[in-house]
Amino acid sequence: MNFDLLDNLKLDHEGMAKAIAQEIDTIVNQGGNDSARLAEEVARTPEDMMAWFDLGVAITADVDMLDYLMSQKYVMEHPGEEIDENTQYADADVKNRLYEKALKCFAKVLELDPDYYGVQYQKGIVYANMRNYAEAEKCFLQALRDDAEDASAAHDLAMVYHDMGDEERCSKYLEMAERLVDSNSSEL
């Protein structure tokens, strides 16, 4: 959805609500622009690992967009109420269906190339978003085994441990992430 275009059109409340509802419906039923385009690409070239990987990432991004749109819908339906940025507005079942689609894409990548770089990290993100912390932990640990200098994997693993209530391991991996960021930036 092109929000700049919507801003320029100065849609009224009802028009904006309708545009948001249409975009939500599109994402849920067809996918966002990137995921719809990539779904066509994998249909044409089913052995293209990169297309499968990118489709999984795009579907994950669709969930973020869905949650954003649902938050905007909520704001329109509850004028004057503050939005808690940690609140998840999209239906958990819908989000989980999309996450499962992303995981199937990543499974296809691993079927084609078991060592494809970045898949474990992306799976970790999906599992963490699904609140399946045990699987997220496995994926982020594997991502760190694949690349011991992956500061993002260390940071996101720390967040998983935080969500699990394990502050000791959270601190350990946050420190690791900070060291890796410092180390990587000093090399530039």
Side-chain angles (χ1 to χ4, degrees), residues 146-164:
D146 293 344
D147 180 359
E149 296 185 21
D150 189 339
S152 295
H155 177 270
D156 290 352
L157 179 58
M159 296 300 95
V160 165
Y161 287 135
H162 172 75
D163 290 345
M164 293 169 69

Side-chain angles (χ1 to χ4, degrees), residues 6-21:
L6 291 177
D7 288 341
N8 291 334
L9 291 174
K10 303 292 185 218
L11 294 176
D12 61 9
H13 183 82
E14 185 178 317
M16 183 61 87
K18 184 177 178 182
I20 289 172

Side-chain angles (χ1 to χ4, degrees), residues 105-125:
C105 292
F106 297 136
K108 181 65 176 178
V109 173
L110 292 175
E111 175 187 313
L112 296 168
D113 179 0
D115 298 320
Y116 195 89
Y117 182 76
V119 173
Q120 294 301 326
Y121 176 73
Q122 292 299 324
K123 285 176 53 180
I125 290 171

Side-chain angles (χ1 to χ4, degrees), residues 8-175:
N8 291 334
L9 291 174
K10 303 292 185 218
L11 294 176
D12 61 9
H13 183 82
E14 185 178 317
M16 183 61 87
K18 184 177 178 182
I20 289 172
Q22 286 174 336
E23 187 65 12
I24 289 168
D25 184 62
T26 298
I27 289 172
V28 170
N29 295 309
Q30 300 166 6
N33 292 336
D34 286 341
S35 57
R37 176 184 56 78
L38 288 161
E40 290 175 7
E41 188 174 328
V42 298
R44 282 191 314 273
T45 58
E47 300 303 312
D48 184 346
M49 294 169 287
M50 184 179 282
W52 281 104
F53 180 84
D54 291 346
L55 177 56
V57 172
I59 292 169
T60 303
D62 284 349
V63 178
D64 293 338
M65 178 55 79
L66 183 62
D67 217 38
Y68 171 76
L69 291 168
M70 294 297 290
S71 73
Q72 297 309 298
K73 180 179 176 205
Y74 182 88
V75 166
M76 293 181 79
E77 293 170 350
H78 302 87
E81 274 189 41
E82 298 252 342
I83 292 229
D84 178 357
E85 63 186 47
N86 296 317
T87 300
Q88 301 291 309
Y89 292 92
D91 180 83
D93 289 336
V94 171
K95 290 169 63 171
N96 284 337
R97 278 197 312 272
L98 291 172
Y99 284 138
E100 290 294 336
K101 284 175 66 174
L103 289 170
K104 287 179 183 176
C105 292
F106 297 136
K108 181 65 176 178
V109 173
L110 292 175
E111 175 187 313
L112 296 168
D113 179 0
D115 298 320
Y116 195 89
Y117 182 76
V119 173
Q120 294 301 326
Y121 176 73
Q122 292 299 324
K123 285 176 53 180
I125 290 171
V126 171
Y127 282 123
N129 287 337
M130 294 173 76
R131 292 176 171 68
N132 184 339
Y133 299 124
E135 288 300 318
E137 176 187 30
K138 288 178 194 175
C139 292
F140 289 135
L141 286 170
Q142 183 60 51
L144 285 168
R145 283 190 289 276
D146 293 344
D147 180 359
E149 296 185 21
D150 189 339
S152 295
H155 177 270
D156 290 352
L157 179 58
M159 296 300 95
V160 165
Y161 287 135
H162 172 75
D163 290 345
M164 293 169 69
D166 187 339
E167 293 305 320
E168 184 177 329
R169 287 195 287 182
C170 173
S171 294
K172 173 185 171 184
Y173 283 96
L174 276 178
E175 289 171 17

